[in-house]
Amino acid sequence: AFGIEAIFFSCVFATGFVMVTLSWNGALLRSLGSGLAQVVNPFLPRGRRIPVRHELIESLRFGPAVCAGVAFASLLHGGLS
């Protein structure tokens, strides 16, 4: 159960980091709009499709989020003792 909690908290920390980074750069609403366009575009006719902004796609380092998730999960389970 500890491993599943650590992975879950890692994903939560990574999501929070992405949201804070996008907000800091002023690109949160644009990236949410681009994500919505990617979801809606397959259902629209070719003439009405929304162009997707590919410059908002970035890579994410998942290592710090995994470290924070494991540390948080171990704190919830009594630390290292």
Side-chain angles (χ1 to χ4, degrees):
F2 174 77
I4 294 173
E5 288 180 5
I7 292 171
F8 173 74
F9 289 130
S10 299
C11 291
V12 169
F13 283 122
T15 303
F17 176 72
V18 167
M19 293 295 184
V20 167
T21 303
L22 287 173
S23 295
W24 185 266
N25 294 334
L28 179 63
L29 295 178
R30 283 182 298 186
S31 65
L32 289 176
S34 180
L36 181 65
Q38 288 180 352
V39 171
V40 173
N41 273 344
F43 302 107
L44 293 175
R46 284 203 189 270
R48 295 192 55 211
R49 290 190 179 167
I50 304 165
V52 178
R53 299 176 58 131
H54 292 287
E55 66 268 8
L56 294 176
I57 297 173
E58 293 185 20
S59 63
L60 170 67
R61 293 186 181 198
F62 201 62
V66 170
C67 182
V70 170
F72 187 70
S74 67
L75 286 175
L76 287 179
H77 285 278
L80 298 175
S81 58

